[in-house]
Amino acid sequence: WMADQALRLTGRRPDVVVVSHYHGDHSAGLPGFGVDESAPEVWLTGATRNRLTEGLREAAPERADPMARALERAVARPDDEDDTLDLGGRRVRIGARRGHTASDVTVELDAPPVVFCGDLVWNDMFPNYVDARPSQLRRAVASIAIGPDSVLVPGHGPLADADAFGRYVAVLDAVEAHAREARRVGRTAAEAAADVELPSASTHWTSFSPSYFERALGAWLTELEGEDSWTH
């Protein structure tokens, strides 16, 4: 569908596809762009390609074989180095980041000012911390350059502007504060999730699952417990 929309809007199919991270809802569609010689170049980090390749061992052949052929065309870039793609008259920055997973990337344009954020940023939806390192996620989000006219394409939810981005940051900070208080008083993630409160501007947010609050707090408590172990 995305390849068809590119053809409809621009008169040509994609030349390059960037994979933001390895989660299946952001990567499993790669074969849909084609797996023959006319397929686009696939850009991803080495860590993302390795994780996707590992996942093929447990997948059924009808799913594994097309993905394996798509990954054969992939250009793996360093995990922690920013890069630039030349799309013929337009240069696009690829930001190497981590936090939602161990290897995330953003795609950033200057004119117009658009940032494709992957799952580092969600809008109107509570984020999934399933593989998150919360402190790294917060740092990665802070490193995204947002101007007053920026348009953000989040991993989930509608397009976001600078105000929506600020609301997302406030949610991340509220989760951290709640987790630190839970850690201080000895509460479990499940106990803390029962009365977690989002900032007033985000109380209308939806979630894929009620378990996402517990998952987010659990990720924070695991990280904080690790910090305490290292400190002592």
Side-chain angles (χ1 to χ4, degrees), residues 64 103 119 143 181 230:
S103 184
D119 275 1
S143 70
E181 176 62 14
W230 181 82

Side-chain angles (χ1 to χ4, degrees), residues 9 15 54 63 69 81 89 93 99-101 108 114 153 161 189 193 210 217-218 224:
L9 292 169
D15 298 313
E54 291 172 3
R63 296 189 64 184
R69 292 198 296 274
E81 294 182 13
R93 293 190 307 281
H100 177 67
T101 70
E108 304 169 16
V114 178
V153 183
D161 57 15
L217 293 164
L224 294 173

Side-chain angles (χ1 to χ4, degrees), residues 65-210:
D65 292 347
M67 178 62 85
R69 292 198 296 274
L71 291 176
E72 287 175 358
R73 301 180 60 84
V75 178
R77 308 299 176 98
D79 297 341
D80 297 311
E81 294 182 13
D82 294 347
D83 208 338
T84 304
L85 290 176
D86 186 347
L87 301 183
R90 171 172 287 176
R91 299 183 70 81
V92 180
R93 293 190 307 281
I94 308 296
R97 310 182 193 278
R98 60 179 62 201
H100 177 67
T101 70
S103 184
D104 304 283
V105 299
T106 55
V107 181
E108 304 169 16
L109 292 75
D110 288 329
V114 178
V115 182
F116 295 84
C117 303
D119 275 1
L120 291 169
V121 175
W122 296 49
N123 187 28
D124 283 358
M125 300 185 72
F126 190 81
N128 187 0
Y129 279 69
V130 60
D131 291 324
R133 176 80 173 180
S135 63
Q136 290 181 345
L137 171 62
R138 183 63 180 84
R139 288 195 295 271
V141 170
S143 70
I144 299 174
I146 303 298
D149 299 323
S150 294
V151 176
L152 287 79
V153 183
H156 296 274
L159 294 179
D161 57 15
D163 289 339
F165 181 76
R167 290 192 292 272
Y168 174 68
V169 171
V171 167
L172 295 184
D173 290 346
V175 171
E176 177 180 356
H178 197 68
R180 289 186 179 277
E181 176 62 14
R183 174 68 175 165
R184 188 185 69 82
V185 299
R187 303 178 78 193
T188 66
E191 291 168 340
D195 60 0
V196 65
E197 293 185 4
L198 299 182
S200 59
S202 303
T203 53
H204 66 285
W205 280 24
T206 59
S207 176
F208 281 123
S209 169

Side-chain angles (χ1 to χ4, degrees), residues 3-14:
D4 288 345
Q5 295 309 302
L7 179 64
R8 181 178 68 83
L9 292 169
T10 70
R12 58 190 297 178
R13 291 187 178 275

Side-chain angles (χ1 to χ4, degrees), residues 203-232:
T203 53
H204 66 285
W205 280 24
T206 59
S207 176
F208 281 123
S209 169
S211 66
Y212 274 24
F213 292 119
E214 181 177 347
R215 183 177 292 171
L217 293 164
W220 261 115
L221 291 175
T222 297
E223 180 171 343
L224 294 173
E225 182 177 355
E227 290 178 357
D228 289 346
S229 299
W230 181 82
T231 301
H232 300 294

